[in-house]
Amino acid sequence: MFNPIPYLQQLHGQLNLLKDKYKFVKVSGLNALEGILENSRREKYFFAVDDSQDGTTFRNGGYFERRPYTVFILGKADYGNMEQRAAVLEEAKTIYHHIMSRLIKDKNSIQVLDLERVRFYEVPPAFATGCSGLYFIFNVENPVNLVFDAEAWTME
């Protein structure tokens, strides 16, 4: 089963714009940005991946689990400095386009990537300890074995 967290961490280490400037961290959704908050005093730029366990089980011939993965590309700008904020957003968009082009290229070998509609959003100003940037969401559709196992149940 494909796990995109190590894959995204590998991409972080390979993309020149990211590897030496952006800190790779894991977070648990928009309401729990612990990886960013823990490192916010030492770091200015973040490449954060949401590792929460949300998803959907669906049938398409067999059964699959569709899990959304959210990636945050964030940088700090001085409060009220719109030029810095614009520069952070521009760099975040460039990184997003590089990551998307790599995901599209790798879909040939990682067929569980669902890239049909990848949504991206700008984060509000002064988000997560003064960060600006954007986040995007893509899905992974891994097959799941849902064959009933009678031995796993006590039938009375």
Side-chain angles (χ1 to χ4, degrees), residues 45-58:
Y45 298 94
F46 298 94
F47 184 78
V49 179
D50 182 354
D51 65 354
S52 56
Q53 297 294 312
D54 298 333
T56 303
T57 301
F58 69 97

Side-chain angles (χ1 to χ4, degrees), residues 94-112:
T94 299
I95 291 168
Y96 165 71
H97 290 139
H98 284 301
I99 296 292
M100 280 304 301
S101 69
R102 178 66 184 265
L103 288 170
I104 292 165
K105 174 192 172 295
D106 290 352
K107 179 152 176 49
N108 291 328
S109 59
I110 307 171
Q111 296 179 352
V112 296

